[in-house]
Amino acid sequence: MSCSLAKHICRLGSSRTCFTVRSISSSSTNNQTAPGAKTTSGEPSQDLPGGLNFTVTPEQQEYLDLAEQFTKNEIIPNAAHYDLTGEYPWPILNKAHETGLMNLHIPEEYGGMGLGTLDGCMITEKMAYGCTGIMTAIEANGLGSMPVMIAGNHEQKKKYLTRLVEEPLMCAYGVTEPGAGSDVSGVKTKAEKKGDDWVINGQKMWITNGGVANFYFVLARTNPDPKCPSSKAFTGFIVDGDTPGVTPGRKEKNMGQRASDTRGITFEDVVVPKENVLIGEGAGFKVAMGAFDKTRPPVASGAVGIAQRCLDEATKYATERKAFGVPIIQHQAVAFMLADMAIGTEAARLCYLKSAWQADHGIRNTYMASIAKCLGGDVANKSATDAVQIFGGNGFNCDYPVEKLMRDAKIYQIYEGTAQIQRIIISREWLGIAKQRLGL
């Protein structure tokens, strides 16, 4: 990293305002009914910027250029190797950490850059363009640390967030279990209080960064009564990875995003001090779900990154490949497929921008975060399928890039809430909007 860029990053870290997000929402949007126009406290915001502006600041552009160059020089040339071997991309992660492209969300108070959700989303899109498996390994730190970000006290934040900035360490979010994915209320992992400590027993599954995590967020049932509502039955814990009884399973062999480390984790008589409880007993479900409003926009931006890559690869191929005497891009059937890919990619991008902007301005973004995540995943998969189709037989071959994109895209309709769960959330949130807007 050049001295000038290092000074620039230092300047970014010391001045939050120089990376302030421009307004990307119209004044009419700002005045929407819930959930679009309420602050996290439930009160209408009095100082939301008006107008519509999609212009990034010079500082934002410099950071985006940095992410683009890192993707071009470090991620794309090595993506095929990590996809083939399934190795964890430590060399790339170490360089990303050194360059300042990891843990950008951590507040300045704890050594981070303190960048907003939207800032991080734009950077994520640039890096996901290169390889979503590598990007997922990086982005999982956002999900793993988000419960601490939104619910941790000062001591917890200082202990666990600071270490992520000081060293290239990873963390993980442990909620999903073999029998509980979308149905979080089905979590069986339990924690029992013994003196001042808690003892956790159970098993988690499909945990990203599971085998490399320095610490985990773990959701466990602390009220054994099956009639106890989810909002009170679970507690969130910070569990150090080297705690006796924490045992990562084998690395799962997944269809795509093979650079990401996904494992099951067993907790056997794991002793956790009371200091590692987030908020308090019974607050775990709220913490776990609250993290998604912050992390679903970055996941959506990753899906947009892969969709853009599909569009670019298909476009380049269509200009080179000839059929019936002309490049296939001149055939309407192919040109319209590219047009549809462009429509989906641009629409999904706008959705993640709005949902991330809302998060940065304290607006409840559950509705838009789910729309962004759902649309982004669907668009990524359709774009990947269409890219393979445009490549024809070559698209089905591993020597060409789009088959990997197709395999990598599928998970965006599954992790961090399936496409079906997003539609449940969206329909529920829309009903609330409709009741207020239409007087139903």
Side-chain angles (χ1 to χ4, degrees), residues 66-78 92 95:
L66 172 64
E68 190 170 326
Q69 285 301 309
F70 186 88
T71 300
K72 179 181 178 181
N73 298 331
E74 302 293 342
I75 297 180
I76 292 177
N78 296 297
I92 295 177
K95 289 180 181 178

Side-chain angles (χ1 to χ4, degrees), residues 176-437:
T176 302
E177 297 185 359
S182 297
D183 182 15
V184 177
S185 62
V187 164
K188 301 298 183 184
T189 296
K190 62 180 181 179
E192 298 177 325
K193 197 168 186 179
K194 293 188 177 181
D196 287 338
D197 298 325
W198 290 85
V199 179
I200 299 177
N201 282 282
Q203 186 178 5
K204 299 296 181 179
M205 191 60 195
W206 309 117
I207 307 304
T208 305
N209 282 352
V212 296
N214 179 265
F215 67 90
Y216 304 86
F217 166 73
V218 177
L219 186 69
R221 177 176 286 275
T222 49
N223 189 322
D225 184 356
K227 296 182 179 180
C228 182
S230 297
S231 59
K232 298 180 180 179
F234 302 99
T235 301
F237 300 89
I238 308 170
V239 180
D240 287 292
D242 60 359
T243 305
V246 177
T247 308
R250 67 175 179 86
K251 183 179 188 294
E252 296 296 329
K253 297 179 181 179
N254 293 330
M255 179 173 80
Q257 296 200 3
R258 293 172 177 170
S260 175
D261 185 276
T262 307
R263 302 175 188 245
I265 312 291
T266 300
F267 298 87
E268 186 174 359
D269 294 329
V270 175
V271 179
V272 180
K274 64 179 181 180
E275 292 80 12
N276 281 29
V277 173
L278 288 167
I279 299 182
E281 183 178 350
F285 187 82
K286 178 181 179 180
V287 173
M289 296 302 102
F292 285 137
D293 286 347
K294 294 282 190 179
T295 61
R296 278 177 178 151
V299 172
S301 69
V304 172
I306 198 172
Q308 185 67 60
R309 178 71 180 279
C310 290
L311 176 57
D312 289 356
E313 295 288 353
T315 301
K316 288 187 291 185
Y317 185 83
T319 60
E320 299 167 356
R321 173 73 170 178
K322 291 185 178 181
F324 306 102
V326 297
I328 62 174
I329 198 170
Q330 294 184 23
H331 295 294
Q332 190 181 73
V334 173
F336 277 16
M337 291 175 72
L338 294 172
D340 287 340
M341 293 165 72
I343 291 168
T345 301
E346 295 290 353
R349 180 176 290 118
L350 290 174
C351 287
Y352 90 64
L353 288 173
K354 182 177 179 181
S355 66
W357 180 88
Q358 289 176 330
D360 286 342
H361 286 84
I363 300 170
R364 184 171 179 268
N365 72 334
T366 304
Y367 179 63
M368 280 308 304
S370 286
I371 287 177
K373 199 275 180 183
C374 187
L375 181 61
D378 288 352
V379 166
N381 276 271
K382 185 178 186 303
S383 295
T385 300
D386 286 349
V388 170
Q389 189 68 25
I390 289 172
F391 271 69
N394 290 334
F396 199 66
N397 187 277
C398 294
D399 290 335
Y400 291 81
V402 290
E403 66 86 24
K404 176 183 182 298
L405 299 178
M406 189 174 184
R407 289 187 287 104
D408 287 349
K410 184 56 193 175
I411 193 64
Y412 281 105
Q413 292 179 315
I414 300 174
Y415 65 8
E416 290 217 34
T418 66
Q420 290 70 36
I421 288 295
Q422 301 312 313
R423 285 174 168 83
I424 292 174
I425 295 171
I426 293 164
S427 61
R428 183 181 63 216
E429 293 293 318
W430 168 246
L431 182 58
I433 297 172
K435 284 181 177 179
Q436 188 167 348
R437 179 183 294 175

